[in-house]
């Protein structure tokens, strides 16, 4: 199946945080309303389009790094720089994952 723009049509399935099925849609991209409500979204190839568990884990790790940073003495500048580097990478990864669903699906 192909859409008018010659993109293959896909089926998307939407689930809440408990894994309960909340709907499905067909198209080249996920249904915006269902996508925003869902905690998990899979396509018909069993690819993960959205998984908020990953974001929760990453946000927890970011919070822990920030707490750790506050407790590092200034004389351990190398450790401070390493934690700051990890924080920057994690923040970038969070932004990428937040935007990933629409980029992968569309």
């Amino acid at each position: 199946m192909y859409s008018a723009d010659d993109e293959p049509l896909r089926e998307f399935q939407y689930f809440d945080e408990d894994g309960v099925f909340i709907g499905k849609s067909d198209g080249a991209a996920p249904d915006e309303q269902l996508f925003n409500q869902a905690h998990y979204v899979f396509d018909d190839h069993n690819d993960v389009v959205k998984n908020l568990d990953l974001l929760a884990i990453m946000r927890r790790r970011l919070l822990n790094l920030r707490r750790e940073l506050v407790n590092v003495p200034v004389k351990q500048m190398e450790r401070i720089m390493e934690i700051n580097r990890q924080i920057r990478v994690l923040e970038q990864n969070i932004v990428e994952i937040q935007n990933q669903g629409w980029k992968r699906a569309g």
Side-chain angles (χ1 to χ4, degrees), residues 61-78:
R61 174 74 177 131
L62 183 60
L63 181 61
N64 289 338
L65 282 172
R66 288 180 175 152
R67 287 180 181 154
E68 182 180 346
L69 181 62
V70 170
N71 294 318
V72 175
V74 175
K75 64 183 178 181
Q76 294 182 3
M77 188 53 67
E78 287 180 19

